[in-house]
Amino acid sequence: SGVPGFVPPGDVEAFSRALMEVMGLAAEARRERGEQGRKAAIELFGIAQVMPGWYDAYDAALGREAP
């Protein structure tokens, strides 16, 4: 993922370790991690990334071919 501390969904042990690691960081390091996570979320899930998929889903639901 490129974001330090990212853990796979459902991996409780990894989540616990990552949470303990983050709790031990200085405030500035936590802010930096938060900014990295925010940037990753925008890159992966921003409106420009998800809208094409939404249009494809609507077209498929309406029985139309995507442009």
Side-chain angles (χ1 to χ4, degrees):
S1 76
V3 178
F6 182 83
V7 296
D11 190 339
V12 176
E13 297 292 327
F15 179 72
S16 177
R17 286 190 303 273
L19 185 57
M20 294 303 292
E21 178 186 338
V22 169
M23 289 173 58
L25 295 174
E28 182 59 28
R30 289 193 308 270
R31 276 191 286 279
E32 288 175 11
R33 287 268 184 110
E35 185 58 29
Q36 289 172 337
R38 180 181 181 281
K39 287 179 182 177
I42 290 169
E43 288 174 10
L44 294 170
F45 306 111
I47 195 75
Q49 286 68 35
V50 298
M51 280 306 295
W54 291 351
Y55 286 128
D56 291 346
Y58 288 134
D59 286 334
L62 295 172
R64 299 187 305 210
E65 279 191 38

